[in-house]
Amino acid sequence: MAVIRPFQAVRPSDNVADRVAALPYDVYNREEAKAETQREPLSFLCIDRAETQLADSVDTYAPEVYDTAKKLFESRLQDGTFITDADNAYYIYQLEMDGRTQTGIAACASVDDYVEGRIKKHENTREEKEQDRICHVDSLSAQTGPIFLAYRSREEINTIVSRTMKQEKALYDFVAPDGVAHRVWKIVGEDVKRIQDAFAEINEIYIADGHHRAASAVKVGLKRRKENPGYDGTEEFNYFLSVLFPDDQLMIMDYNRCVKDLNGLSAEEFLNKIGENFTVTPLAAASHPRKKGQVSMYLEGTWYELQAKEELLAITDAVASLDVSLLQDYLLRPILGIEDPRTDSRIDFVGGIRGLEELERRAGEDMKVSFAMYPTSIGELFAVADAGLLMPPKSTWFEPKLRSGLLIHRI
């Protein structure tokens, strides 16, 4: 059973929520983050990326960055930018992008469920990427960026969510500058216990997005346990902030690839080698892959459809059968020499939200060839996690993104 519990939220006053809510800290580079905080001084990015409040000469991960984040957070608690709810509650968080909505429940998940594998991962994490958020969470004694979790849809939870949205007034209802609508409701009364009981019957919860944030939150929780050997498990540091979505509401976008060169091959030699495992067909215009096993490739001004041959499509292993694995194992590694896409500087990854035009631009500027992928499905994600396996890096791109600073969990 999964422990998904209500929490006492720190959240923006309703008159500034649209200004405070910020995209995740890792969406921006330092220059972009600074520009965003200058555009909107109330943006939570000022706290999430506190180096934006310091001189450019200060290292992004210097101790004074986290000290600044803590001081700014505390000052916004004092000046009324943030309020603290009096009770433990669940919150409904709905996002709408391009006419499509997805509705989840903001809550706290259990550190023990993560450690013991009831909250399942599909990606490895890198310690150097975790360390920044470990310092941030530990300095603020708060989790500010929710982990994106998924579960198999349950009717009793869906019913409570639908009823609450109809009967209760939204706490927040605004459209962010990127056009994504954000709406938040508070679940009240007996429905709080009903939600908790319903989640207790779920055996598997999945990390959809935010593996590094999850790992960081858990490590801070374990650190606090060591610092408090008499802990009894009810302390807030035993739980981490999450938004949980039913699987039937999620959409995974393509996560595409660009490579700088053809590994010493001419375009003709390259196409011939691809033909050993894929059927190569020139396309009259830019086109996304239409089904699993297809890749659209842009090379020297022409789009091609790469169709995996039957023997590749017959692979049944949960990881090896992924489209991103087929491309890596039968093209990127053997033909282009990309042995480890996590560390090879010749490859870059482009989220599907940027469109095919971005792949054309990159292949014409700093790259040589681009690959548009067919999106990984939520079912494939679940299958990999259930098998205790890991996906290749950059296998999934989720949109829209949860905002940071909208619901905060103090530990």
Side-chain angles (χ1 to χ4, degrees):
M1 57 176 281
V3 178
I4 302 297
R5 71 177 211 170
F7 69 108
Q8 187 178 19
V10 174
R11 56 187 182 85
S13 298
D14 58 3
N15 61 321
V16 295
D18 60 331
R19 298 178 61 191
V20 170
L23 283 165
Y25 72 98
D26 52 358
V27 167
Y28 303 93
N29 62 33
R30 183 165 181 162
E31 182 180 355
E32 291 168 340
K34 187 167 187 176
E36 177 61 15
T37 59
Q38 289 173 343
R39 182 196 70 81
E40 178 46 83
L42 275 184
S43 171
F44 196 79
L45 200 60
C46 297
I47 297 171
D48 245 356
R49 296 284 297 273
E51 73 272 18
T52 60
Q53 309 304 297
L54 302 169
D56 291 345
S57 59
V58 176
D59 185 81
T60 300
Y61 309 114
E64 54 261 47
V65 172
Y66 306 106
D67 290 340
T68 299
K70 179 181 179 180
K71 290 174 183 176
L72 186 53
F73 180 50
E74 290 175 348
S75 71
R76 290 190 178 178
L77 286 167
Q78 292 294 321
D79 68 17
T81 300
F82 290 107
I83 61 173
T84 302
D85 279 351
D87 53 346
N88 288 325
Y90 295 105
Y91 297 81
I92 297 169
Y93 186 174
Q94 183 180 77
L95 303 97
E96 180 177 352
M97 184 182 76
D98 298 333
R100 187 185 68 84
T101 62
Q102 62 185 51
T103 307
I105 293 178
C108 281
S110 164
V111 165
D112 288 324
D113 282 348
Y114 179 96
V115 171
E116 295 167 11
R118 285 182 292 275
I119 295 176
K120 299 187 176 186
K121 300 172 281 187
H122 67 266
E123 285 183 9
N124 268 327
T125 56
R126 293 164 59 182
E127 188 172 351
E128 65 271 21
K129 288 188 69 177
E130 295 172 14
Q131 193 58 47
D132 166 53
R133 288 302 100 177
I134 288 172
C135 292
H136 194 270
V137 172
D138 208 19
S139 295
L140 270 63
S141 277
Q143 300 148 356
T144 61
I147 316 307
F148 188 154
L149 301 181
Y151 64 95
R152 291 183 175 88
S153 183
R154 295 183 71 89
E155 185 58 37
E156 58 266 45
I157 297 176
N158 297 340
T159 298
I160 294 170
V161 168
S162 297
R163 183 172 65 239
T164 300
M165 290 192 296
K166 290 176 182 176
Q167 295 179 353
E168 301 293 330
K169 184 178 184 296
L171 299 177
Y172 308 128
D173 187 349
F174 63 88
V175 178
D178 61 0
V180 176
H182 300 265
R183 305 179 188 98
V184 175
W185 292 262
K186 188 174 182 178
I187 295 176
V188 297
E190 291 300 316
D191 282 340
V192 173
K193 185 176 187 307
R194 293 188 184 106
I195 289 285
Q196 191 160 12
D197 290 345
F199 275 117
E201 295 178 5
I202 297 175
N203 293 320
E204 298 95 11
I205 304 287
Y206 302 84
I207 299 177
D209 199 12
H211 282 77
H212 284 92
R213 290 195 298 277
S216 301
V218 167
K219 287 184 176 180
V220 172
L222 296 176
K223 174 176 176 287
R224 295 286 176 100
R225 287 180 174 184
K226 288 183 179 179
E227 294 168 350
N228 298 272
Y231 78 93
D232 62 13
T234 63
E235 299 85 357
E236 293 300 325
F237 57 70
N238 294 292
Y239 301 89
F240 58 92
L241 180 65
S242 307
V243 180
L244 299 98
F245 290 91
D247 62 330
D248 54 7
Q249 293 204 20
L250 296 180
M251 180 184 74
I252 303 178
M253 296 188 73
D254 42 312
Y255 213 152
N256 303 313
R257 281 92 168 109
C258 300
V259 180
K260 285 186 177 180
D261 58 66
L262 299 185
N263 199 26
L265 300 171
S266 68
E268 183 178 1
E269 290 169 333
F270 178 54
L271 290 169
N272 286 337
K273 283 186 173 292
I274 293 174
E276 295 174 10
N277 288 300
F278 298 85
T279 301
V280 181
T281 306
L283 296 170
S287 176
H288 288 279
R290 294 171 287 107
K291 61 182 180 179
K292 181 172 172 56
Q294 284 185 353
V295 178
S296 293
M297 181 180 74
Y298 186 71
L299 173 67
E300 295 187 348
T302 299
W303 281 97
Y304 297 86
E305 178 187 279
L306 311 184
Q307 173 63 59
K309 292 186 176 179
E310 289 302 319
E311 54 267 34
L312 272 63
L313 295 178
I315 295 171
T316 57
D317 178 86
V319 173
S321 63
L322 297 171
D323 279 24
V324 289
S325 296
L326 297 180
L327 184 75
Q328 174 63 31
D329 295 342
Y330 295 94
L331 196 159
L332 297 180
R333 180 184 293 117
I335 301 176
L336 293 181
I338 305 293
E339 293 294 333
D340 187 348
R342 294 171 297 180
T343 59
D344 197 315
S345 62
R346 296 168 55 227
I347 190 169
D348 198 9
F349 302 89
V350 179
I353 192 70
R354 295 181 176 269
L356 297 179
E357 297 82 1
E358 178 67 6
L359 298 183
E360 292 180 348
R361 185 189 72 80
R362 293 295 301 275
E365 293 183 5
D366 60 326
M367 295 286 174
K368 178 68 175 180
V369 59
S370 294
F371 302 92
M373 309 302 301
Y374 188 73
T376 302
S377 71
I378 192 70
E380 288 175 318
L381 186 155
F382 284 1
V384 170
D386 285 341
L389 301 173
L390 299 171
M391 287 186 174
K394 312 297 184 183
S395 294
T396 57
W397 181 279
F398 284 91
E399 285 286 348
K401 302 291 186 187
L402 297 170
R403 272 12 184 206
S404 296
L406 205 53
L407 293 163
I408 296 169
H409 175 228
R410 301 191 77 178
I411 62 169

